[in-house]
Amino acid sequence: MKFLLLRGASVLVSAGALFLAGCGADGPVVWPISGATEGDFPLSSTFGPRVRTEDDVYDFHRGIDIAVPEGTDIYAIAAGRVSEIQKNTSAGGMLVKVDHGGYYSTYVHCSDVEVDVGDSVDAGEVIAQSGKASNGFAHLHFEIRKPGDNKKDCVHPLEVLPYTDKGAPTLEIGKVDMTNPLQPKITITARVGAGELDLRRVSVATFEADAGVILEGLTPLSERSYDTDDWNRTYTSSESDIVIDDPDNEGILVRPKKYNNTMPSYEVDFTFTGLVGTVTSGLLRIRAVATDVTGNVISVESH
Ligand SMILES: [Zn+2]
């Protein structure tokens, strides 16, 4: 039996360069700190898997973090109605939630709140002041929940906030473990730049095909994927704070590299098991695909 695997040629399919989301029927959408549409980059943390800097613990982050000094004005991102205020959250500080009709924005670790439940707010209206988390980190934790307002409804905030998209993620086929050639373990590395942090989905497919054959259009032996929104919906309970964020879930080992707002990119290794290898003497070929929030896609094939 022979296999050849390796980093391959890449095929890039990319959508447009500029993407402004959220300018729907309900009016403009702005960022919660700048109150503008350019974006509060660099973010300290993005939506999705991360390694907490303070204790190296794996953690699925349900929002974005924006580091700002305590007392910074926080703006409602869009017109809506204040649906919830919590005075003392276990995460630290106060929480404000705004119902925008179809989705919710949530502002956490606030030191002060300037609105009441039931108040109508406009995009860019000051609703609170920023504070710090219980660990002392001064920042705004911001979430978008859609369509419900439970933790499991959290989606990538860049699906709603406007930003300038710089193109598809970068993607590499890394280690291919053929200890059991019928069940290869394949590691895919995906990376997005600090100016966008919009990784949404990574998938891998195995094929039996001769070297050089274009895999697009062929039926894969197997295919697996990791989607940040789906992962949160699957592994977050809506009724309690119990969270099953185990990087080994589903046979997908998720290993985010450490990231903070001084780093140029956010990178995650995904090791997929449960894949099917070649059963005869054919060549194992691999295709990996990564998608960002705006739908930019990159596809990489092994030779
Ligand atoms: Zn956070």
Side-chain angles (χ1 to χ4, degrees):
M1 204 175 278
K2 61 176 180 178
F3 337 95
L4 191 60
L5 6 127
L6 304 320
R7 305 194 173 221
S10 78
V11 181
L12 172 63
V13 183
S14 194
L18 179 68
F19 179 79
L20 291 176
C23 300
D26 297 324
V29 176
V30 298
W31 281 70
I33 294 298
S34 65
T37 56
E38 294 86 47
D40 295 329
F41 295 103
L43 307 179
S44 300
S45 188
T46 191
F47 182 86
R50 69 173 177 181
V51 177
R52 293 204 310 238
T53 46
E54 65 267 33
D55 55 11
D56 285 0
V57 169
Y58 173 86
D59 167 49
F60 188 98
H61 191 225
R62 290 177 187 76
I64 54 176
D65 288 344
I66 306 166
V68 282
E70 269 190 274
T72 301
D73 281 344
I74 295 172
Y75 302 102
I77 62 152
R81 185 173 297 272
V82 178
S83 62
E84 183 179 342
I85 293 172
Q86 291 179 27
K87 295 289 185 189
N88 278 303
T89 67
S90 57
M94 302 165 77
L95 174 152
V96 185
K97 190 180 293 174
V98 178
D99 180 352
H100 301 287
Y103 70 94
Y104 297 80
S105 59
T106 307
Y107 312 78
V108 187
H109 310 310
C110 302
S111 59
D112 198 12
V113 171
E114 299 197 1
V115 289
D116 293 313
V117 170
D119 285 358
S120 289
V121 296
D122 287 325
E125 182 176 333
V126 176
I127 56 171
Q129 274 73 45
S130 69
K132 59 189 178 187
S134 49
N135 66 5
F137 175 37
H139 73 288
L140 169 66
H141 171 95
F142 175 83
E143 294 178 358
I144 293 288
R145 300 177 175 202
K146 188 178 177 181
D149 69 352
N150 296 305
K151 274 186 170 185
K152 71 179 177 58
D153 295 306
C154 288
V155 298
H156 202 308
L158 292 175
E159 292 172 29
V160 169
L161 292 170
Y163 71 105
T164 302
D165 189 90
K166 297 179 175 70
T170 58
L171 189 61
E172 279 172 31
I173 299 172
K175 184 182 178 192
V176 180
D177 180 342
M178 298 292 285
T179 304
N180 180 348
L182 300 180
Q183 297 177 333
K185 297 179 186 173
I186 300 174
T187 298
I188 306 295
T189 301
R191 189 183 302 114
V192 286
E196 45 190 338
L197 295 175
D198 56 354
L199 182 66
R200 169 72 194 268
R201 189 171 193 275
V202 172
S203 68
V204 62
T206 56
F207 297 83
E208 185 167 356
D210 290 336
V213 169
I214 302 294
L215 301 179
E216 190 69 44
L218 298 185
T219 302
L221 298 169
S222 61
E223 187 162 17
R224 303 210 60 195
S225 64
Y226 178 100
D227 179 287
T228 52
D229 289 0
D230 291 347
W231 194 259
N232 179 51
R233 292 198 200 290
T234 303
Y235 291 109
T236 301
S237 163
S238 57
E239 284 79 34
S240 73
D241 285 341
I242 297 168
V243 172
I244 311 166
D245 278 344
D246 182 340
D248 288 315
N249 277 328
E250 306 270 3
I252 304 173
L253 177 64
V254 183
R255 288 171 297 170
K257 305 247 166 74
K258 282 194 177 181
Y259 173 79
N260 65 39
N261 59 8
T262 68
M263 296 178 184
S265 63
Y266 165 72
E267 184 175 312
V268 187
D269 287 341
F270 300 88
T271 299
F272 293 87
T273 62
L275 290 160
V276 175
T278 52
V279 291
T280 61
S281 59
L283 189 64
L284 180 73
R285 302 274 310 279
I286 298 163
R287 185 180 67 213
V289 177
T291 309
D292 70 12
V293 164
T294 69
N296 285 319
V297 176
I298 185 168
S299 173
V300 178
E301 295 183 358
S302 67
H303 292 297

